[in-house]
Amino acid sequence: MVTQHGEHGEPGQVHEEVEVKYDLAPDAEAPTLGALLGDLPGADERGYREGDPVEHELEAVYFDTRDLRLSAARTTLRRRTGGHDAGWHLKTPWREGARQERHLPLGRAVKTVPAPLRRLVADVTGDQTLVPVARITTHRTVRTLVDAAGTALVELADDRVRAQRLAGGSVGQDEQEWREVELELLDGDRELFDAVDAHLRAAGLVVAETGSKVARVLAGAPAPRTDDAPAAGADAPRPDAPRPADRVLTPAAPRRTDLGPGSRAGDVLVAHLAEQVQRVLDQDPLVRADAPDSVHAMRVATRRLRSALKTYGPLLATSTKPVRAELRRLAAELGEARDAEVLRDRLVRSVASLDADHHDHSADHADQHGAAPDGVPQRVREQLEGDYRTAHDRVLAELDSERHQSLLDALQDLVERPEFSARGRRKAAKVLPKRVAKTFGALADLVQQAQDTGPGPARDELLHEARKAAKQTRYAAEAVVVVFGKDAKRFAKAVTELQEVLGEHQDSVVTRQRLRDLAATAHPEVAFAYGRLFAQEEVHAAATEADVEEVWAAARAKRLHRWLR
């Protein structure tokens, strides 16, 4: 369990959920963990055993909009009683197939979702009311895998389920019953979880088609649609029809796998845009809860959107400059928070790792000022933490703004109602490689200019611009991997290596600039540490410039560019 503290009353308890569900026949023998204990990694050292089974009676009511926008966004919101974690639970997509789960106590409200949870899903739901859409009762038998210290590592739950669809708070006519097994990671590691999963599959368990109980219940529901989309049989809206004020971004569809060299170039672009828009939506509640790396992930998705619109803008019939400008502004807000976070962590680590000889020197210096040297990393963190908090608060204000909602509206237009130019209607193989090649040409010009410029601020600035151009080229190639496969992947990997080396150089430039400012107002022993770090960063920057030559030569290899002709 990871406890974090969000702003604006967001729930602070955040749990990363990693689980797999399997279908099981009603009369099948219940699986156990005891038979596989000896085959698990670390079994001899950790003393694995199966805990005593525990039974629970659970009842959960799931909430969504009437057109199931949360379900479409792979998000679940429920109020559950019974078991050890009764309360309100919000589950949102996260990384590597895992989900993040947020908890709030049950409270008195039964049919009204708590305001903190409503705010976390506002970008998906808009001003649509959240209503009960399903009721699920579960008789659960839980078995846990524990180690010699008694720590519960994984949990295996045998669930007998009864479920009903609800329509606007009323019980539906249909009732479903099934049995399933759920394997969930607790305080173990992913290697152990994967080993148990593999054994269960080898024993005959089949992974369920749906990843959640409520998804199974709602599987037969009408497909979600925006308020301005026509109902079945209705006339399509005119392009100039007025747009409802409450329109929100419809979550993107799953990644398309039917695209190829013969597809329209514009369709490839829209599929990529839809994927990045979904990532922005997925990260929204995580950013609000200040989850690790969430600001970075949203920033990357925003940059990828802007990059794609810049590189492939000619495929669309209308200019994307207004949307790109708003994406740039959003990325800048996210960037302030991300840069403050990176600088804080970088300097704290660097100060903590200073060598012993210099540490003794710092201790002598600190003693003269009445401060202990062991407190230097903490002083650094305290000095920089305020910068991050201020920047993160600005990000939260941005996500709550009408301007941000307008940006989401504009992105929805691009994804749902794209208008292609003649170039966008041509085959992908004829159009897309040339767009990628153009970005690489701009990168090559900047690298050459930097190589022709002597050391100093001018060269640093050119290398910074080259880094941004490398990122543009990388994103352009990755956007079309779905069509060009390994060729695009290899090319993107080579450019990524260049981008990373240039990024290290730029981080060093920025860090040195910030160190100067920080030292001016820092406590004496902290200022001393900053001076030493400045010298280290100068050496690091010189080393990264030398690395640029090597990775640039690799990125220019002819074999990587054949697909761009």
Side-chain angles (χ1 to χ4, degrees):
M1 181 72 68
V2 178
T3 301
Q4 299 166 355
H5 303 283
E7 301 292 335
H8 304 301
E10 273 79 9
Q13 198 173 57
V14 182
H15 171 68
E16 180 183 357
E17 179 186 75
V18 179
E19 66 179 22
V20 178
K21 295 182 186 295
Y22 315 87
D23 287 327
L24 192 66
D27 56 351
E29 184 178 351
T32 66
L33 296 167
L36 55 88
L37 296 182
D39 297 326
L40 297 177
D44 293 339
E45 305 84 38
R46 304 192 65 180
Y48 295 138
R49 61 182 176 83
E50 185 179 50
D52 295 332
V54 178
E55 296 190 6
H56 300 290
E57 293 293 336
L58 311 175
E59 180 172 303
V61 175
Y62 289 79
F63 291 76
D64 205 334
T65 62
R66 292 182 185 277
D67 54 2
L68 305 182
R69 294 180 179 186
L70 293 184
S71 178
R74 307 192 301 280
T75 296
T76 59
L77 174 59
R78 74 185 178 200
R79 183 183 189 273
R80 188 165 79 179
T81 57
H84 60 83
D85 62 346
W88 289 91
H89 304 158
L90 173 65
K91 298 184 181 184
T92 54
W94 203 30
R95 59 190 180 192
E96 299 177 358
R99 295 200 295 175
Q100 277 210 340
E101 181 175 345
R102 290 166 179 73
H103 290 187
L104 278 181
L106 284 172
R108 296 183 180 180
V110 175
K111 295 185 178 180
T112 303
V113 177
L117 295 181
R118 293 202 306 271
R119 279 193 290 268
L120 285 175
V121 297
D123 270 354
V124 176
T125 62
D127 65 354
Q128 298 298 301
T129 302
L130 289 165
V131 298
V133 294
R135 176 180 290 110
I136 298 177
T137 59
T138 304
H139 178 81
R140 168 168 290 184
T141 303
V142 178
R143 292 175 170 83
T144 54
L145 175 65
V146 300
D147 61 14
T151 303
L153 305 174
V154 298
E155 175 181 281
L156 190 67
D158 179 5
D159 290 346
R160 296 181 182 273
V161 186
R162 297 195 316 275
Q164 289 178 316
R165 282 282 311 279
L166 305 179
S170 301
V171 178
Q173 298 299 314
D174 54 339
E175 181 171 303
Q176 304 176 47
E177 292 188 13
W178 71 89
R179 187 180 178 201
E180 67 181 31
V181 171
E182 179 178 296
L183 175 67
E184 182 173 359
L185 180 63
L186 299 178
D187 287 331
D189 56 38
R190 192 62 183 261
E191 180 186 11
L192 175 64
F193 177 86
D194 291 341
V196 176
D197 175 37
H199 279 285
L200 292 174
R201 297 188 195 209
L205 290 185
V206 178
V207 176
E209 292 185 4
T210 56
S212 71
K213 292 179 175 64
V214 70
R216 182 167 182 163
V217 178
L218 300 177
R225 59 187 182 90
T226 53
D227 294 338
D228 56 332
D235 293 332
R238 294 179 292 108
D240 59 346
R243 294 173 18 177
D246 64 344
R247 209 180 80 189
V248 298
L249 188 65
T250 299
R255 183 171 187 176
R256 291 184 60 176
T257 58
D258 59 337
L259 298 169
S263 301
R264 292 190 304 179
D267 288 334
V268 178
L269 169 60
V270 169
H272 176 68
L273 294 176
E275 188 174 324
Q276 300 311 314
V277 166
Q278 184 62 57
R279 290 181 180 177
V280 171
L281 286 177
D282 289 347
Q283 292 303 318
D284 181 276
L286 305 184
V287 170
R288 293 175 186 273
D290 202 9
D293 288 331
S294 58
V295 170
H296 174 60
M298 181 181 280
R299 183 191 191 190
V300 169
T302 302
R303 282 179 163 179
R304 286 182 183 274
L305 282 167
R306 180 167 166 259
S307 176
L309 292 175
K310 181 178 180 181
T311 300
Y312 300 109
L315 278 58
L316 300 171
T318 57
S319 173
T320 61
K321 285 184 177 180
V323 177
R324 282 160 45 197
E326 288 301 297
L327 286 169
R328 180 176 185 176
R329 191 182 62 81
L330 174 59
E333 290 287 0
L334 293 165
E336 288 288 334
R338 175 60 178 171
D339 292 347
E341 180 182 35
V342 169
L343 182 66
R344 177 198 66 194
D345 295 343
R346 180 179 180 132
L347 293 186
V348 169
R349 285 195 305 269
S350 296
V351 169
S353 65
L354 293 175
D355 60 89
D357 179 61
H358 282 163
H359 182 72
D360 293 340
H361 184 180
S362 179
D364 295 339
H365 185 82
D367 288 342
Q368 299 173 15
H369 296 85
D374 290 343
V376 172
Q378 182 59 31
R379 287 183 181 273
V380 171
R381 177 173 292 279
E382 289 171 356
Q383 187 174 13
L384 298 175
E385 181 67 22
D387 293 343
Y388 173 68
R389 284 288 134 220
T390 299
H392 190 265
D393 286 347
R394 286 200 300 267
V395 169
L396 296 180
E398 170 63 25
L399 297 182
D400 287 336
S401 69
E402 292 184 7
R403 191 168 184 175
H404 183 66
Q405 183 63 53
S406 295
L407 171 60
L408 297 184
D409 285 343
L411 291 171
Q412 179 169 351
D413 281 336
L414 289 173
V415 170
E416 291 190 347
R417 286 179 284 277
E419 296 180 10
F420 298 144
S421 65
R423 200 177 308 187
R425 294 190 293 271
R426 294 181 63 194
K427 291 183 179 180
K430 297 293 185 181
V431 175
L432 301 181
K434 294 179 181 178
R435 304 305 304 173
V436 179
K438 185 176 180 179
T439 66
F440 187 83
L443 167 62
D445 288 343
L446 286 166
V447 173
Q448 187 62 55
Q449 291 179 50
Q451 291 174 335
D452 294 341
T453 303
R459 179 181 172 89
D460 289 342
E461 183 60 29
L462 285 168
L463 289 174
H464 177 43
E465 292 300 318
R467 180 188 67 85
K468 292 191 289 185
K471 188 175 295 184
Q472 178 84 7
T473 304
R474 168 196 172 186
Y475 288 167
E478 290 177 343
V480 297
V481 164
V482 67
V483 173
F484 299 101
K486 291 182 179 179
D487 287 337
K489 282 184 179 179
R490 293 191 187 103
F491 176 81
K493 181 180 179 181
V495 176
T496 299
E497 291 176 357
L498 174 65
Q499 174 203 320
E500 289 176 349
V501 171
L502 291 170
E504 281 293 313
H505 181 271
Q506 177 62 15
D507 286 346
S508 183
V509 171
V510 172
T511 300
R512 279 178 284 154
Q513 292 172 344
R514 188 71 176 117
L515 284 170
R516 287 193 188 96
D517 298 336
L518 290 168
T521 58
H523 197 277
E525 78 276 9
V526 176
F528 178 78
Y530 285 161
R532 294 172 53 220
L533 291 181
F534 186 94
Q536 288 184 1
E537 290 293 345
E538 286 184 314
V539 174
H540 183 62
T544 57
E545 286 196 39
D547 291 340
V548 169
E549 298 289 340
E550 180 179 350
V551 295
W552 175 236
R556 287 181 297 166
K558 290 183 179 180
R559 60 184 176 79
L560 296 176
H561 294 253
R562 295 191 183 112
W563 69 287
L564 298 178
R565 297 173 184 173

